[in-house]
Each structure stands twice: as structure tokens, then as C-alpha cells.
Amino acid sequence: MSKVIIIVGFGPGVSTAVADKFGAEGFSIGLIARSQARLTAGVEALEAKGVAAVAFAGDAGDPIAIRGAIAAARAAFGRIDVLLWNASSGHGVGDLLSVDPSSVTGVFDVAIAGLLAAVQETLPDLKAAGDGAILVTNGALGDLDPAVDRAAIAAKADGIGIGNAAKAKLVGLLAARLDDDGIYVGEVTIAGVVRGTRAAIPGVPMIEGAAVADAFWDLYHGRQDIRVRIG
């Protein structure tokens, strides 16, 4: 029976490249995203390459919905070996000096609450696998660096920066917590724009999705480094 990877936040760029990479290595693929049209196209593309794939609609920022979608994928395949969290909300917070503080909690719907729900839902399978893994995509706007902070403010991406920083900490905590269970946790931080996901930004590196997919594959097999950075 082939191993199974569940990709949450499926779309062009990183998740499509990861699906292609792991599919080519013999994995069956479960896709989760909000767009049914995107999911249908993704399954058709994978099946055309001889890769077994299923898809289920689910909002990564809704813990109940994401649990349900993952449970449906498990029912379809019978097991889950790898979870890839590639979801991002792009949640903005406005001016940090004047925003209603209670509205900032939305930053963590996808970055923290959704990810935790996905981890908890897949945890029994990952433990049973013996070599289960949780892979997480992150962005460089979460770096604790004054220059990055200024860039985030200039781009009105304060919320993304806060979410990314929190997610990086969560990845570290999960890695420490799950190591004794034989579950690997790894993160690829992207310092640039992934080709095919948005327009180029002057001075910002353009990154190929395939390069990120290769980095995830290397992390999964090496199971040593928690983080790698591209860009």
C-alpha cells in the first residue's frame, strides 16, 4: 500500500509542486482547499500522471471543517503518513497603533488554530506510521529582524508577519513534543515570491515551486533539520 500525504491549502505553486514530487515518489495524495474547481483540476492533473488522488473542500481557518476534511481523506485512503500545511490566510490587521486589539486574533485562525486542528486530527495515524511527518510552509515576514519588520509595515503585511512568527514557534514546539513519538516536524521558510502565485516584486527573489518541493522531500527523508530557508 502506498504512503499518503495530505496537502492542506492546495493551489498553484508550492502545494502543486509538492503533490507532483511526492506523487512521483509513489505517494497517494489528498488535497484540501476551499476552491472546489481548484481541487477538481488538481486531482485530474495527478490522475493523468498515474497518481492516486482525492480532494475535499475545507476552510483551513475553521478547525471543525479542517478536521472533517482530513477525516474524509483518511476514510478514502485508510491512513495518513504525512501532513503538509501550506495554508495561508493573508489576514491583515491594519494600523497596529489604532486597530481594535480584539480583531488581531484572526491572524491566528489559519496559522495556529487550523494547523493545530490538522495536527490533532492526523496524530493517531502519524504515530501508527512509525515514520510520520508534519511539514509546514512558512514565510520570511515572520523573521525577527528590524529590516523585515520595516518591509512588513511598508507592505501592510503586519498581520502576515505576526502569523508567520507564531507559526514558526509552533513548529519548534511540535518538533520537540513529537520527537519521542517518532514523528518528524519540519518547516520550509520562503524568502521570496513563488512563481505562479503572484506578480514579481522588484528586489524580491523569484522562487520555483519545485525547489520548495525538493526541500520538503529532503527534510522528510533526512529528518534531522527542523528548518530550511529558500530565497
Side-chain angles (χ1 to χ4, degrees):
M1 180 178 179
S2 65
K3 289 188 175 183
V4 176
I5 180 171
I6 302 299
I7 299 175
V8 182
F10 178 73
V14 171
S15 51
T16 292
V18 170
D20 287 341
K21 176 67 177 181
F22 278 69
E25 297 291 344
F27 275 71
S28 296
I29 315 292
L31 307 178
I32 298 174
R34 289 181 295 178
S35 170
Q36 187 60 57
R38 181 176 290 175
L39 291 171
T40 298
V43 168
E44 290 176 351
L46 288 166
E47 290 181 339
K49 298 172 183 176
V51 177
V54 297
F56 298 93
D59 184 345
D62 181 341
I64 294 175
I66 208 64
R67 281 182 180 274
I70 290 174
R74 177 190 296 111
F77 285 124
R79 61 185 287 183
I80 298 171
D81 298 277
V82 181
L83 168 68
L84 171 69
W85 189 260
N86 188 58
S88 176
S89 67
H91 186 90
V93 299
D95 184 353
L96 289 174
L97 302 183
S98 60
V99 67
D100 179 354
S102 65
S103 70
V104 178
T105 57
V107 166
F108 306 109
D109 289 347
V110 172
I112 302 300
L115 174 54
L116 275 176
V119 168
Q120 291 171 4
E121 185 64 32
T122 56
L123 194 56
D125 288 41
L126 300 182
K127 287 182 177 180
D131 61 349
I134 299 165
L135 305 175
V136 179
T137 305
N138 209 345
L141 285 178
D143 289 356
L144 302 181
D145 181 293
V148 173
D149 293 338
R150 287 191 290 272
I153 291 171
K156 302 186 185 303
D158 314 42
I160 296 174
I162 292 169
N164 287 352
K167 184 163 57 174
K169 185 64 177 180
L170 178 56
V171 166
L173 292 170
L174 290 173
R177 184 69 181 271
L178 296 174
D179 184 56
D180 289 342
D181 292 313
I183 298 173
Y184 169 75
V185 182
E187 175 186 83
V188 174
T189 298
I190 300 172
V193 174
V194 178
R195 192 179 304 279
T197 60
R198 60 175 297 177
I201 301 174
V204 176
M206 187 64 71
I207 297 169
E208 300 296 334
V212 181
D214 287 343
F216 273 125
W217 183 256
D218 291 343
L219 285 178
Y220 170 65
H221 271 281
R223 306 178 75 87
Q224 295 295 321
D225 297 328
I226 295 175
R227 294 184 175 88
V228 67
R229 185 184 185 91
I230 295 182

